[in-house]
């Protein structure tokens, strides 16, 4: 309000205050669900402990009052993870039975603040096993040491748990140790502190220096999970692929790795350098994959990817996820399934399912499982299959068909007669759920993604054994699970 008249009368108006892109918060608090302060760490002088009184009364207590909750939830005020009360802005994240709260005055980078709060909760889980009230109460000293290291004057610093563990460790009691043992431990701690200081101040914080392996190896796995819905006529209603590239490295020193893929961005960059139109040939264009929603590990040099469209990085030691991606077009389905369900009177159903593999003859799928739903009032079922084993599972109200090995372009058929129980009650029409297929197909990708090259360079020039594997699945790892479903009606 004060700056507005000045902007109208002066020739050079004052610019509006912009948030400092590196400034996240002024202080951090961890409180339980009752509002009791467990941890208090002020990074700037403008934050006091009594600021949590407003957070307790306006946010925590308001959520517990039914009348306030109903009125506030209509406009979403209680659901918002960020609230400004007076001159103080509160950013908070709920973790189990505690709140991780960031407090700031003035302009700050809200996205950086929430990212920092997420890293704090991850560090608690990494060090203590869980971010809970009991775990925090048992590790006050260690947590305060972590908070001192990961933020300076409101600017986040090193938050990688692998790096922090090199110089912040949970030490065992040394009351019964001899003087010689204590001296050795102090010397080891000093060496670890020197190595950690070199690592933290260097450009590569995710990898320790001085790693030595007798046999240098690199494993690269492309794992894809297929999400697909097919109609009873065999028409694909929706299909997408969620994929990830996982790596496991056992390399000496500080190597540099380059990975090239057959994605469209990379090929367009190479074609433009040669003066060739990548879309000139339709057959050539189909070989390139369009990757969406790319999410890289922090070790990837994004400037190199932007200019050359190659993934270049110095890898962490051990296993890590290099990149995630999504593909929505040009998907090659590994299986086609054609179901047919016929009613034979009031007490019988005839079920026929035809399964055909669509990948190469040289590829063999393992553990193909087909789940075929049947009505709840099924009494028994007579099942025959040309391959694998099939049976009726009454606990799940379905037919289970399992094929251990399925080579490319093979075809199997299941025939079942389902006998329904006689009841006097009037039955509701049976809504047939879709058939679900689970599988794992090694050395196959539904998106067609392939590794063009995998280069490992180091100043010492040692030999590296490289392994590249592919896996297409309907399950995936962790949260990247998919579904492969076929409608019956």
């Amino acid at each position: 309000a004060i700056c507005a008249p000045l902007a109208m009368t002066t020739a050079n108006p004052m610019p509006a205050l912009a948030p400092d892109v590196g400034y996240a918060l002024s202080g951090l608090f961890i409180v339980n669900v009752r509002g009791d302060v467990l941890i208090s760490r002020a990074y700037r002088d403008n934050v006091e402990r009594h600021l949590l009184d407003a957070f307790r009364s306006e946010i925590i207590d308001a959520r517990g009052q039914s009348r306030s909750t109903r009125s506030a939830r209509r406009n979403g005020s209680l659901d918002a993870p960020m609230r400004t009360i007076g001159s103080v802005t509160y950013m908070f994240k709920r973790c189990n039975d505690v709140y991780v709260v960031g407090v700031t005055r003035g302009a700050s980078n809200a996205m950086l603040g929430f990212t920092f709060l997420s890293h704090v909760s991850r560090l608690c889980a990494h060090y203590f096993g869980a971010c809970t009230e009991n775990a925090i109460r048992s590790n006050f000293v260690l947590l305060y040491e972590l908070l001192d290291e990961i933020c300076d004057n409101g600017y986040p610093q090193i938050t990688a748990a692998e790096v922090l563990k090199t110089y912040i460790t949970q030490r065992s009691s040394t009351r019964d140790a001899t003087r010689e043992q204590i001296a050795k431990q102090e010397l080891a701690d000093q060496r670890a502190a020197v190595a950690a200081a070199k690592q933290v101040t260097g450009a590569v914080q995710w990898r320790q220096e001085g790693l030595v392996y007798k046999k240098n190896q690199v494993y690269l796995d492309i794992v894809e999970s297929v999400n697909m819905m097919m109609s009873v006529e065999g028409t694909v209603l929706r299909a997408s692929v969620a994929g990830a590239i996982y790596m496991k490295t056992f390399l000496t020193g500080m190597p540099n790795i380059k990975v090239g893929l057959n994605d469209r961005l990379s090929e367009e960059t190479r074609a433009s350098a040669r003066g060739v139109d990548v879309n000139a040939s339709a057959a050539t264009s189909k070989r390139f994959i369009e990757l969406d929603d790319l999410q890289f590990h922090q070790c990837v040099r994004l400037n190199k990817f932007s200019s050359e469209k190659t993934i270049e990085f110095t890898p962490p030691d051990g296993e890590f996820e290099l990149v995630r991606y999504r593909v929505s077009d040009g998907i090659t389905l590994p299986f086609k399934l054609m179901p047919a369900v016929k009613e034979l009177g009031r007490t019988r159903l005839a079920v026929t399912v035809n399964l055909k593999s669509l990948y190469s003859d040289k590829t063999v799928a393992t553990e193909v499982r087909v789940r075929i739903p049947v009505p709840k009032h099924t009494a028994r079922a007579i099942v025959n299959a040309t391959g694998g084993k099939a049976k009726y599972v009454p606990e799940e109200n379905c037919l289970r068909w399992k094929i251990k090995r399925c080579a490319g372009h093979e075809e199997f058929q299941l025939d079942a007669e389902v006998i329904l129980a006689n009841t006097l009650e009037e039955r509701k029409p049976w809504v047939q759920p879709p058939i679900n297929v689970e599988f794992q197909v090694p050395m196959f990708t539904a998106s067609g993604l392939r590794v063009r090259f995998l280069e490992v360079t180091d100043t010492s020039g040692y030999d590296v054994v490289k392994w590249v594997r592919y896996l297409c699945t309907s399950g995936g790892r962790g949260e990247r699970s998919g579904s492969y479903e076929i409608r019956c009606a």
Side-chain angles (χ1 to χ4, degrees), residues 66-77:
S66 58
R67 181 176 299 179
S68 299
T69 301
R70 284 195 299 268
S71 60
R73 284 191 183 277
R74 292 193 185 101
N75 54 27
S77 61

Side-chain angles (χ1 to χ4, degrees), residues 13-279:
M14 294 179 62
L17 287 175
D20 187 348
V21 294
Y23 168 50
L25 41 79
S26 301
L28 185 137
F29 299 89
I30 299 180
V31 301
N32 59 17
V33 292
R34 299 182 300 277
D36 301 330
V37 179
L38 305 177
I39 294 291
S40 172
R41 180 65 174 90
Y43 294 111
R44 296 196 176 186
D45 296 335
N46 57 358
V47 173
E48 297 85 18
R49 190 184 180 97
H50 67 80
L51 294 179
L52 262 294
D53 296 339
F55 178 80
R56 185 186 302 109
S57 59
E58 297 293 333
I59 298 177
I60 296 181
D61 293 346
R63 292 190 172 199
Q65 298 174 3
S66 58
R67 181 176 299 179
S68 299
T69 301
R70 284 195 299 268
S71 60
R73 284 191 183 277
R74 292 193 185 101
N75 54 27
S77 61
L78 290 183
D79 294 329
M82 186 173 182
R83 292 277 303 277
T84 300
I85 303 174
S87 61
V88 182
T89 300
Y90 299 88
M91 299 173 286
F92 55 95
K93 175 183 175 63
R94 175 74 181 266
C95 298
N96 300 314
D97 56 350
V98 297
Y99 287 95
V100 183
V101 185
V103 180
T104 179
R105 291 180 184 268
S108 65
N109 190 330
M111 186 61 69
L112 182 62
F114 280 109
T115 304
F116 180 75
L117 297 182
S118 298
H119 279 246
V120 171
S121 63
R122 290 177 188 172
L123 282 175
C124 291
H126 193 89
Y127 271 88
F128 319 139
C131 186
T132 61
E133 181 177 356
N134 291 334
I136 291 171
R137 288 186 181 276
S138 303
N139 296 275
F140 276 133
V141 177
L142 181 57
L143 185 53
Y144 272 113
E145 191 176 356
L146 285 170
L147 295 179
D148 287 340
E149 293 292 339
I150 64 178
C151 191
D152 184 15
N153 197 33
Y155 296 91
Q157 305 297 312
I158 303 298
T159 58
E162 294 79 7
V163 177
L164 291 171
K165 275 204 167 185
T166 59
Y167 58 97
I168 299 180
T169 59
Q170 289 177 304
R171 300 174 184 175
S172 58
S173 176
T174 58
R175 273 180 290 179
D176 298 330
T178 64
R179 291 183 179 181
E180 184 179 355
Q181 290 174 334
I182 294 175
K184 288 183 179 180
Q185 181 63 38
E186 290 178 352
L187 181 60
D189 292 343
Q190 290 176 2
R191 291 176 178 173
V194 172
K198 292 180 179 179
Q199 182 179 356
V200 170
T201 56
V204 181
Q205 58 170 286
W206 51 84
R207 183 180 180 87
Q208 297 181 5
E209 293 186 357
L211 295 174
V212 177
Y213 288 98
K214 292 183 178 180
K215 186 176 182 181
N216 295 279
Q217 301 181 82
V218 174
Y219 297 86
L220 188 149
D221 295 340
I222 295 182
V223 181
E224 292 188 345
S225 177
V226 184
N227 289 272
M228 191 275 300
M229 173 66 76
M230 183 182 293
S231 68
V232 66
E233 294 84 9
T235 304
V236 178
L237 304 178
R238 58 172 174 83
S240 64
V241 169
I245 299 178
Y246 298 94
M247 294 199 69
K248 184 183 291 187
T249 61
F250 304 100
L251 299 172
T252 301
M254 301 291 285
N256 187 70
I257 297 181
K258 286 186 179 181
V259 178
L261 306 173
N262 64 330
D263 61 297
R264 178 169 290 276
L265 287 175
S266 301
E267 184 58 30
E268 287 177 351
T269 303
R270 292 190 298 272
S272 61
R274 299 192 305 265
V276 179
D277 185 7
V278 71
N279 297 315

Side-chain angles (χ1 to χ4, degrees), residues 353 382-391 400-403 412-416:
V353 178
I382 303 171
V383 187
N384 295 306
T386 57
K389 297 181 179 180
K391 64 178 181 178
R400 283 281 186 182
W401 186 14
K402 179 180 177 181
I403 303 173
F412 301 97
Q413 182 168 315
L414 178 142
D415 295 296

